[in-house]
Every structure is written in C-alpha cells, then in structure tokens.
Amino acid sequence: MKEFLEIIAKQLVNNPDQVVVEVEETEDRILLKLSVAEEDKGRVIGREGKIAKSLRTIVKAVARNQDKPVFVDIL
C-alpha cells in the first residue's frame, strides 16, 4: 500500500522527489502518512478536499484484504 500511494501521489505533484510515505502500524490500524512539498499540498488535497478523499477511498479499496483498517493522513 505504501508503494501504491507513493506512485499515485508522485503523479499529482510537481516535485515527485519530495513525496514521502511513512507507515505507522499498531495492533488495530495502519496509518499511512503522506508528506509532499509545501507548494504541492494543494494538488494533493484538491478543492474542498476532493482529491484527498479520492486518495483515501482508493487506498481503502486496495487494502480491503488487510486485517486492519487503513487510514491516510496528509501532513
């Protein structure tokens, strides 16, 4: 899932080399923390958060076979 989110995020931004995804896994969840360049945050979030919501939906769909819920946090 980490690599999947990185690939998608790199396609959205102007500075793909600054895309970083960190994984924080606990007993009950998996959290993917997405960091991008400051000037690319708007591209990843989108108007009214539509792109961010779509990213979260896609990652959750890909992660359905996980035993834990997966969340995406944009830093």
Side-chain angles (χ1 to χ4, degrees):
M1 288 177 296
K2 175 185 175 184
E3 294 81 16
F4 180 75
L5 182 57
E6 281 179 354
I7 290 169
I8 293 173
K10 286 180 179 183
Q11 298 301 313
L12 296 171
V13 299
N14 288 331
N15 301 302
D17 55 319
Q18 293 188 23
V19 172
V20 177
V21 178
E22 297 176 26
V23 179
E24 182 179 300
E25 189 168 349
T26 62
E27 293 179 5
D28 57 342
R29 68 179 169 97
I30 299 171
L31 177 63
L32 301 175
K33 296 179 180 181
L34 174 62
S35 298
V36 297
E38 188 67 33
E39 60 269 12
D40 288 329
K41 285 186 180 180
R43 293 180 178 275
V44 173
I45 295 171
R47 289 189 182 182
E48 299 177 7
K50 289 182 182 181
I51 295 174
K53 184 177 178 181
S54 297
L55 281 173
R56 291 181 176 116
T57 301
I58 292 168
V59 169
K60 285 181 181 183
V62 169
R64 288 203 187 261
N65 62 351
Q66 298 292 320
D67 295 334
K68 304 173 190 179
V70 177
F71 299 95
V72 175
D73 193 11
I74 300 170
L75 306 178

